[in-house]
Amino acid sequence: MEDREIIQLYFARNETAIEETSKKYRNYCTRIAHNILSNVEDSEECVNDAFLGAWEAIPPKSPDKLSSYLGRITRNIALNRFDYYTAKKRNKEFETVLDELNDCLSSSDNVESRYEEEQMAGAISRFLQSIHEDHRNIFLRRYWYSDSLADIASRFSISESKTKSVLFRTRKKLQIYLKKEGYVQ
């Protein structure tokens, strides 16, 4: 079933929308959640919560790209769960992903910084649009989807060392770009 048909089911408040969403996007969303949480049960819960979130948000929202919309909801739910569990247990792979980006990005937990964070997100998007498509895709696979280095290398038919090199260079370019734009010191 096409995305526009699934969205029409949501607008009609037809529960088949969730079934069709699950058929088409369960594996995609589960992978996103699992890459963050490294736990099958928690990942499944996040995906179910994401589908419920879509049910509650559509309508009035009408996403242009259902896969991205569901991926974002799933990722946010998984990140919230990751934050909740961080005190109890660690996901070493995801901690590594976060540590890799730490040098480029400054983090602030206060409410006043939300505007600055949104501006920085826009700057990162502009930066990503300015780099080579393969490098952008490698960067997104690592830092949005939280894929392992081995998975990325396999997906792009390159070695893990080349993957590390591309990520390192892209992070350095991002850091320089953000400094130039005035977002980091």
Side-chain angles (χ1 to χ4, degrees):
M1 183 174 274
E2 294 295 317
D3 286 357
R4 61 179 165 66
E5 296 170 306
I6 295 172
I7 291 170
Q8 287 173 352
L9 290 173
Y10 278 104
F11 271 88
R13 304 313 289 161
N14 184 333
E15 292 182 12
T16 307
I18 295 176
E19 294 171 29
E20 293 298 326
T21 301
S22 182
K23 284 181 197 173
K24 190 167 183 180
Y25 292 113
R26 179 164 293 279
N27 290 340
Y28 167 74
C29 291
T30 300
R31 175 145 183 167
I32 291 170
H34 192 268
N35 284 346
I36 294 169
L37 298 169
S38 296
N39 180 292
V40 174
E41 293 83 14
D42 286 341
S43 299
E44 278 297 315
E45 272 188 54
C46 286
V47 171
N48 291 335
D49 289 348
F51 292 166
L52 176 61
W55 177 259
E56 292 172 348
I58 305 171
K61 292 190 179 190
S62 181
D64 293 329
K65 189 163 184 183
L66 188 58
S67 62
S68 298
Y69 185 75
L70 294 168
R72 187 178 75 232
I73 293 172
T74 303
R75 186 173 191 276
N76 288 339
I77 291 169
L79 287 171
N80 288 339
R81 184 158 299 193
F82 177 81
D83 287 343
Y84 176 77
Y85 286 143
T86 299
K88 296 180 182 177
K89 59 185 175 183
R90 297 270 185 210
N91 174 344
K92 296 296 183 194
E93 181 68 25
F94 190 62
E95 286 287 333
T96 301
V97 169
L98 294 177
D99 287 343
E100 288 173 5
L101 279 177
N102 228 8
D103 293 337
C104 299
L105 308 172
S106 60
S107 172
S108 179
D109 292 336
N110 62 40
V111 176
E112 295 82 25
S113 67
R114 182 159 311 250
Y115 174 77
E116 292 168 358
E117 289 171 357
E118 289 174 7
Q119 295 300 311
M120 184 183 292
I124 293 170
S125 292
R126 288 188 300 277
F127 166 77
L128 290 173
Q129 289 299 318
S130 73
I131 63 175
H132 190 272
E133 183 179 2
D134 285 347
H135 293 184
R136 176 175 53 248
N137 289 333
I138 289 169
F139 188 88
L140 289 172
R141 292 307 314 179
R142 182 68 172 163
Y143 301 117
W144 176 257
Y145 295 101
S146 306
D147 284 355
S148 71
L149 294 172
D151 286 346
I152 295 168
S154 174
R155 176 183 288 266
F156 292 94
S157 301
I158 57 177
S159 68
E160 280 190 51
S161 70
K162 173 150 180 154
T163 303
K164 287 179 188 177
S165 176
V166 167
L167 289 168
F168 177 79
R169 289 183 183 133
T170 304
R171 285 193 313 269
K172 287 299 176 191
K173 287 177 185 175
L174 174 60
Q175 186 176 31
I176 291 166
Y177 180 83
L178 291 174
K179 280 181 182 178
K180 185 181 105 186
E181 295 290 315
Y183 291 104
V184 294
Q185 303 292 342

